[in-house]
Amino acid sequence: MIRVTNLHKRFGALHVLRGIDLKVERGEVFVIIGPSGSGKSTLLRCLNFLEEYDQGEVLFDGELVGYRKANGGKLVRDRAANIARVRAQMGMVFQSFNLFPHKTVLENVIEGPLIVQRRNRAEAIAAAAAFIKKVGLDDKTHVYPSKLSGGQQQRAAIARALAMQPKAMLFDEPTSALDPELVGEVLAVMKTLAADGMTMVIVTHEMAFAREVADRVMMMDEGAVVELDTPERMFNAPAHPRTADFLRRVLH
Amino acid sequence: MGYTWHFNVIWDYRIVFVRGATITAQLTVGSLLIGVLLGLILGMMRSSHLKLLRGPATFYIEFFRATPVLVQLVWLYYSLPILTGVQMGNVASVTVGLGLHAAAYFAEIFRAGINSIDRGQLDAAKSIGMIYWQMMWRIVLPQAVRRMIPPFINEFATLIKLTTLGSVLAVYELLHESNNLINNTYRPLEVYTALAVAFAVIIYPFIYLSQRLERYWQVRS
Ligand SMILES: Nc1ncnc2c1ncn2[C@@H]1O[C@H](COP(=O)(O)OP(=O)(O)O)[C@@H](O)[C@H]1O
Ligand SMILES: [Mg+2]
């Protein structure tokens, strides 16, 4: 479903991604862990081209993301409309929720179907209601984000992403900005998605959650993949000392 | 000082003021339209990540802010025809000149409003597949407009005042009509006083409104 080959990204002199290779299968839950500043967010943002990459390739469902091959095989930036079309097939959930504050929960959720997919309003509302119910916010349908708790905002953000009927979902530390008592409700929603067979790429520090739902876990450090394995092996017997060290620190 | 005011002169010649005010309003509305439309385009260009768009917009804005309006107006009226052969009438020159000038200031207001929207929301908009115009129209502008309105009203008030520069190109706006009236009546004190009061009465409500809105939105956000 997602295939990344030799991905490099620089911010000026800072070499943030140093040749990442990975493959996420359809229906797989792929968790990325690693210390802060190791490039996890940047990698995730390259997958849907919120960040332009300098070298290598990102393929989504067989399509090159962000670039197209010009005559002679050179990569040139794709047309904006095409980038947007590929992007819309991946839902993204952010650490800071990023709901549209001038829109209610329902308006946030129907925005994509209505404006991007040009679906008819009644149909979009009916579909949105189902997603809002799925994340447990049916009693908050007409409420503005500023009146919601962090956990509720994040669940609304998940519903907004799901409403586009994406082929995969990207999560960038979805619970890191939440009070501890609100983390569970968001993870619970993510577990139901995993159970439904959604393809998910998740950056998280919630190791218990990763152990439970991940098919594979990737450890990143300094812009490179340190190791990539099943959660059982990764958490019980990490192959690399840097993984062991990192796990010891996050698990106290 | 034993000056005896003769404000009846103003009443006798009220038609002159009405005539002047009509032209003043015409200059204001015309230049406002040009300024807002061009300003919106320049503001979006300047907040673009493309150098090709940002560069020219920045140059335009800085250039028009760094030169006196009066110089811009006389240049448009006297120099442009020599260079291009296009001679606009004096009313058109002042309308276009003030419009081009105001565009630089409106552009900065638009840019500040656009930039005030948190980048995370732009990421979210892009992630659901929005293209630039959809994002602008649906997400950025609806929120930015509220922050733009107070400075926008201030700039509008400034624009009304700037229309008096039209007198230099012999446009019969309020100031020019007043000067003519003085030549006929020899009553500069009454005429200029009435003129100042008229402008204050027209403009102050806008300034007041802008201050109230600014405070109102500050409290709510
Ligand atoms: N837009 C940016 N401009 C410059 N540097 C950035 C930018 N985004 C991230 N970085 C830098 O790239 C590195 C990796 O960041 P990030 O991908 O956010 O790491 P992580 O998500 O693993 O904490 C950090 O050193 C960060 O400061
Ligand atoms: Mg991060």
Side-chain angles (χ1 to χ4, degrees):
Chain A
M1 170 108 315
I2 302 172
R3 185 189 195 117
V4 174
T5 340
N6 190 30
L7 187 70
H8 286 264
K9 169 72 186 174
R10 292 178 181 80
F11 288 113
L14 196 63
H15 199 169
V16 177
L17 298 179
R18 300 161 177 256
I20 304 277
D21 292 285
L22 63 86
K23 220 172 132 181
V24 179
E25 304 296 340
R26 195 179 300 272
E28 187 177 22
V29 177
F30 190 93
V31 167
I32 303 173
I33 61 172
S36 159
S38 57
K40 306 181 298 295
S41 297
T42 306
L43 169 60
L44 213 58
R45 293 166 59 83
C46 284
L47 297 184
N48 68 350
F49 210 63
L50 285 184
E51 212 70 75
E52 294 180 29
Y53 47 95
D54 305 320
Q55 196 186 326
E57 278 185 3
V58 176
L59 288 178
F60 181 79
D61 209 14
E63 257 188 293
L64 189 57
V65 178
Y67 298 97
R68 61 190 167 79
K69 289 220 164 68
N71 309 334
K74 209 168 150 278
L75 292 189
V76 295
R77 205 176 199 283
D78 207 350
R79 285 173 29 245
N82 214 30
I83 293 174
R85 183 184 58 76
V86 176
R87 239 182 218 151
Q89 299 173 36
M90 289 171 258
M92 190 165 203
V93 175
F94 305 86
Q95 183 174 343
S96 50
F97 327 134
N98 299 342
L99 289 172
F100 307 130
H102 59 305
K103 295 179 183 294
T104 63
V105 169
L106 178 68
E107 288 164 350
N108 266 277
V109 176
I110 62 175
E111 184 68 11
L114 221 53
I115 302 303
V116 177
Q117 297 176 332
R118 303 195 172 285
R119 308 226 320 250
N120 105 13
R121 196 178 177 86
E123 200 184 294
I125 289 175
F131 290 113
I132 291 171
K133 193 169 165 56
K134 186 173 178 67
V135 301
L137 284 179
D138 17 352
D139 56 334
K140 303 287 181 193
T141 302
H142 299 293
V143 174
Y144 283 93
S146 59
K147 295 278 186 306
L148 298 175
S149 73
Q152 291 168 334
Q153 288 189 51
Q154 194 60 301
R155 286 185 281 141
I158 293 173
R160 175 178 65 184
L162 290 175
M164 294 297 290
Q165 298 175 307
K167 294 180 186 163
M169 290 280 287
L170 313 175
F171 294 84
D172 190 3
E173 301 199 29
T175 57
S176 293
L178 298 178
D179 293 334
E181 71 272 18
L182 301 176
V183 169
E185 62 191 57
V186 172
L187 295 182
V189 169
M190 292 169 65
K191 281 179 199 167
T192 66
L193 291 182
D196 293 346
M198 174 63 83
T199 307
M200 297 159 85
V201 182
I202 307 170
V203 174
T204 186
H205 291 298
E206 296 292 330
M207 296 304 160
F209 169 78
R211 188 188 285 257
E212 187 183 337
V213 302
D215 294 302
R216 283 186 301 156
V217 180
M218 181 173 102
M219 163 78 189
M220 266 182 88
D221 196 15
E222 298 183 342
V225 178
V226 174
E227 69 178 287
L228 175 56
D229 213 330
T230 63
E232 293 76 29
R233 279 204 293 267
M234 178 82 87
F235 292 123
N236 296 334
H240 202 287
R242 266 194 286 178
T243 313
D245 191 50
F246 171 72
L247 289 175
R248 206 165 26 247
R249 268 186 292 127
V250 290
L251 300 171
H252 310 297
Chain B
M1 297 290 281
Y3 187 81
T4 324
W5 295 88
H6 287 91
F7 273 117
N8 56 330
V9 173
I10 306 298
W11 182 249
D12 293 343
Y13 286 93
R14 58 192 181 278
I15 184 69
V16 174
F17 285 95
V18 170
R19 221 163 51 201
T22 310
I23 300 291
T24 294
Q26 209 176 311
L27 294 175
T28 306
V29 171
S31 54
L32 183 70
L33 283 176
I34 297 173
V36 168
L37 282 176
L38 185 59
L40 182 58
I41 295 167
L42 287 166
M44 289 198 292
M45 283 171 69
R46 202 177 182 188
S47 58
S48 161
H49 65 279
L50 296 177
K51 246 208 190 94
L52 204 72
L53 296 176
R54 209 173 53 223
T58 304
F59 177 80
Y60 180 99
I61 291 164
E62 297 307 339
F63 181 81
F64 273 87
R65 295 206 306 173
T67 47
V69 207
L70 191 51
V71 174
Q72 292 161 14
L73 292 183
V74 293
W75 194 92
L76 202 64
Y77 189 64
Y78 295 109
S79 307
L80 188 71
I82 300 172
L83 289 176
T84 65
V86 181
Q87 173 74 70
M88 286 187 285
N90 53 357
V91 173
S93 289
V94 173
T95 307
V96 171
L98 289 180
L100 295 180
H101 170 82
Y105 287 86
F106 283 125
E108 284 299 90
I109 293 171
F110 286 125
R111 179 175 73 118
I114 291 169
N115 286 355
S116 73
I117 304 305
D118 170 42
R119 299 212 50 86
Q121 283 188 53
L122 307 188
D123 285 342
K126 288 180 201 160
S127 77
I128 57 172
M130 285 192 169
I131 56 173
Y132 180 82
W133 294 111
Q134 294 169 333
M135 186 168 84
M136 268 299 158
W137 191 245
R138 301 285 308 178
I139 307 302
V140 175
L141 289 178
Q143 298 180 74
V145 157
R146 169 182 287 199
R147 287 168 220 191
M148 291 175 197
I149 285 176
F152 182 91
I153 295 173
N154 279 333
E155 188 50 38
F156 175 66
T158 302
L159 197 52
I160 301 176
K161 291 184 269 187
L162 286 179
T163 57
T164 52
L165 292 175
S167 62
V168 174
L169 300 187
V171 171
Y172 282 88
E173 45 65 60
L174 273 171
L175 178 58
H176 199 56
E177 289 279 17
S178 301
N179 287 335
N180 277 359
L181 188 56
I182 290 164
N183 289 340
N184 295 332
T185 60
Y186 308 104
R187 286 279 162 204
L189 215 46
E190 285 81 357
V191 172
Y192 283 145
T193 304
L195 181 64
V197 169
F199 268 110
V201 166
I202 295 169
I203 291 171
Y204 181 70
F206 289 110
I207 292 175
Y208 179 75
L209 180 68
S210 143
Q211 285 167 347
R212 286 304 297 266
L213 283 175
E214 202 155 11
R215 221 166 302 149
Y216 177 69
W217 279 325
Q218 233 157 34
V219 170
R220 296 213 329 174
S221 63

